[in-house]
Amino acid sequence: MAPGSDRYASRADTAAFLICLVLSLVALALPAGLKEPIAGALRRTVLLPVLAVQRQAVASTAARERLAKVRFERDSLVLETTFLPELRAENDRLRALLGLAGRLGHGFATAEVLHQAGVADGLTLVLSAGSEEGVEQFAPVVAAGGVLGLVRTVDPHSSVALAWTHPDFRASAMVEGTAVYGIVRARRGERSGELMELIGVPYREQLVPGARVVTSGLGEVFPRGIPLGTVQGIMTEATGWERTYVLQPVVHPSETAHVIILSPARAADTLQAAFGATHPAPDSVLLVHDSAGVRIVRPPPPQRRWPRQTAPPLQQTAPTVPPAGAVPQLRR
Amino acid sequence: MRITAPQVRVGLVLALLVAAHFVVRPRLGDPRFAPDFILVALLFLATRVRPMAGTIAGFLVGLVTDAVAPTAFGSAAVALTVVGYLSGWLKAVAFADNLLVNALFVFVAAWARDAIEVLVAHQLQGGALGWQLLALSPLAAASTAAAAAVTLLLFRGWLRQSAA
């Protein structure tokens, strides 16, 4: 960029600037009902080829990373099988096979996150799956660790998700294994990075740091039992009324590359078992694989950490147990 | 209007930058800090054409950028319109064909774009706003400035002012 000639802004330049600025402000002031059709039209036309290119680039990057990971895992497994009992290696392979997608079984689509430049990335995410892949509006978006957000708008081959970091995001939540309910929302910028906060917790309830907070299933958007975060401590308290807790989220939007979009039809399900509950529901079952073979057992009742409350019986959907040796089928 | 060979070369560099945004950028790690090649292309264009063209280009690029973040639709359009206009206008204030000066210009433009966008979108407040403007945006602007400097080094002959 070398120095320019002696061109200063003329009246025409200033007029063009003012017109574009006014148009931008008009776009900003449009109601949501008008913004999204315009944005959707741009995504389906101008942005369609570039998003397709970006999807390919992300997919090839992910493929390289997966290859390196598979090589690493293969090398690690070879090393482990050399020194550890055969059963442990077998368990590791089974755990790798029975990933989250396998545990969910049905009613989901997988997608890549197409990260964009600018400050909006991390608040809203462009996903590489759309209505053609079965994605619907308000579908929950989860990563392997827990909740990432929910689908805001859907196009044929892409969709835009509202991440939990967005100021508009709310999720009905409960402390796992208890009857303590609240609302989770984002709390950005404090401490070192993005945090969540659990608001509306009754004053009589005291949560211990480390307690896991999961979706409650109320509101019929998120299925019950998907992890949101862990309690770090009390943030504020309105004496005699309610407490607000700071949560360490289990998933960060900017660091997520692959997601699972659940079908809204699964909103009534309980997915506690799919996300490795630390306090299994009373009627849940566990798959145990040991020297005696594969069998299904009921876990012992959990120890109550909050003796004044008892967990309501969860409407647990027993996980689909694949036959021994079966490989989970990923649906796209 | 006759298109000259130098203009074609500048156009090629801009096209390469746009392609790099969608092909190279996803491979450069954390998207919060990865360089914004589209912004670099816009600045290279805006400093080579009249402010009117820079303004319109900024507005259109901003509108397309907004399409992937519909909850703040219009904020990137405002930010890039201002940046496009000011870049075209600042060109009149002669600054040297110096790599460091150009990188600094891109850094300031990238940070200003983020600042305008985040303030207009009004989605962040308090500590979150400070964190974005004082930590994340400067890092992203630095990587964008570095990308601009590398592009200038690679295509210095094609991007001279006489080429425009």
Side-chain angles (χ1 to χ4, degrees):
Chain A
M1 283 179 290
S5 58
D6 54 349
R7 289 177 291 188
Y8 286 87
S10 67
R11 283 182 185 172
D13 295 325
T14 308
F17 169 66
L18 291 176
I19 290 169
C20 288
L21 193 62
V22 168
L23 286 175
S24 303
L25 292 172
V26 167
L28 196 64
L30 284 175
L34 283 176
K35 282 179 184 178
E36 289 179 1
I38 297 172
L42 286 170
R43 285 196 303 273
R44 286 188 295 273
T45 53
V46 180
L47 279 173
L48 188 65
V50 292
L51 285 179
V53 169
Q54 190 178 2
R55 186 185 303 131
Q56 290 298 321
V58 171
S60 71
T61 305
R64 272 208 322 275
E65 286 172 359
R66 274 201 299 271
L67 179 64
K69 191 178 173 185
V70 167
R71 281 180 179 159
F72 177 77
E73 285 176 349
R74 184 199 61 190
D75 295 345
S76 301
L77 282 174
V78 168
L79 193 64
E80 282 197 25
T81 51
T82 307
F83 298 106
L84 296 176
E86 186 183 350
L87 180 62
R88 184 169 171 183
E90 178 70 15
N91 277 341
D92 285 343
R93 282 197 292 273
L94 277 174
R95 283 197 196 97
L97 285 175
L98 294 171
L100 176 60
R103 291 193 298 272
L104 287 172
H106 65 93
F108 65 89
T110 57
E112 284 89 33
V113 180
L114 306 176
H115 287 290
Q116 306 297 320
V119 294
D121 188 62
L123 300 176
T124 52
L125 300 168
V126 181
L127 308 179
S128 66
S131 56
E132 295 286 322
E133 288 78 23
V135 177
E136 297 176 41
Q137 196 180 23
F138 303 124
V141 181
V142 300
V147 169
L148 187 68
L150 80 167
V151 174
R152 175 73 177 254
T153 55
V154 184
D155 299 324
H157 295 290
S158 65
S159 50
V160 178
L162 200 70
W164 65 258
T165 46
H166 196 281
D168 293 346
F169 180 87
R170 301 287 185 278
S172 176
M174 62 185 290
V175 180
E176 194 178 53
T178 74
V180 181
Y181 290 84
I183 299 291
V184 163
R185 67 183 183 192
R187 178 166 188 81
R188 284 169 56 102
E190 294 210 343
R191 304 188 186 180
S192 57
E194 289 83 352
L195 296 170
M196 290 174 168
E197 57 187 39
L198 177 65
I199 62 173
V201 177
Y203 188 76
R204 65 178 182 279
E205 312 290 357
Q206 276 204 318
L207 307 183
V208 292
R212 199 159 84 145
V213 177
V214 300
T215 52
S216 68
L218 301 176
E220 298 187 352
V221 174
F222 291 100
R224 187 171 187 161
I226 308 177
L228 285 156
T230 51
V231 174
Q232 283 199 325
I234 294 179
M235 192 171 68
T236 60
E237 55 183 20
T239 307
W241 184 243
E242 66 171 9
R243 287 191 168 95
T244 299
Y245 289 86
V246 180
L247 304 184
Q248 179 68 48
V250 292
V251 178
H252 196 288
S254 298
E255 295 165 355
T256 306
H258 305 279
V259 295
I260 285 174
I261 306 168
L262 297 174
S263 163
R266 300 202 64 177
D269 289 356
T270 297
L271 302 180
Q272 203 169 8
F275 285 90
T278 54
H279 299 281
D283 55 350
S284 66
V285 294
L286 294 176
L287 177 68
V288 173
H289 182 243
D290 57 16
S291 55
V294 179
R295 67 183 195 279
I296 298 168
V297 298
R298 288 192 181 281
Q303 291 181 342
R304 287 181 189 155
R305 295 163 75 180
W306 295 274
R308 288 193 295 113
Q309 293 85 40
T310 55
L314 300 177
Q315 294 176 348
Q316 174 71 27
T317 305
T320 307
V321 179
V327 178
Q329 298 296 310
L330 297 183
R331 210 199 93 188
R332 277 304 303 268
Chain B
M1 189 178 73
R2 203 170 132 262
I3 297 173
T4 62
Q7 285 174 331
V8 171
R9 286 198 290 265
V10 172
L12 274 175
V13 175
L14 299 186
L16 278 175
L17 283 167
V18 172
H21 189 81
F22 296 101
V23 177
V24 179
R25 190 174 183 276
R27 302 163 197 260
L28 295 181
D30 195 322
R32 288 176 296 182
F33 313 125
D36 188 346
F37 292 101
I38 294 273
L39 182 67
V40 176
L42 174 67
L43 293 173
F44 282 3
L45 175 73
T47 50
R48 283 168 175 76
V49 293
R50 291 189 63 84
M52 179 194 290
T55 302
I56 293 170
F59 173 69
L60 294 177
V61 170
L63 215 53
V64 171
T65 306
D66 281 326
V68 291
T71 57
F73 192 76
S75 57
V78 172
L80 288 175
T81 297
V82 173
V83 167
Y85 175 74
L86 289 182
S87 302
W89 185 82
L90 280 175
K91 174 187 54 179
V93 183
F95 57 86
D97 186 13
N98 179 296
L99 193 67
L100 197 62
V101 171
N102 283 304
L104 186 64
F105 168 70
V106 172
F107 176 85
V108 171
W111 186 85
R113 188 274 310 262
D114 275 7
I116 296 168
E117 189 175 338
V118 80
L119 290 173
V120 170
H122 199 60
Q123 289 182 335
L124 302 178
Q125 291 173 336
L129 188 63
W131 180 256
Q132 177 67 49
L133 292 182
L134 301 178
L136 299 181
S137 290
L139 287 171
S143 74
T144 303
V150 170
T151 308
L152 281 171
L153 276 176
L154 290 175
F155 299 100
R156 174 160 278 197
W158 287 15
L159 289 172
R160 285 190 193 286
Q161 176 62 21
S162 57

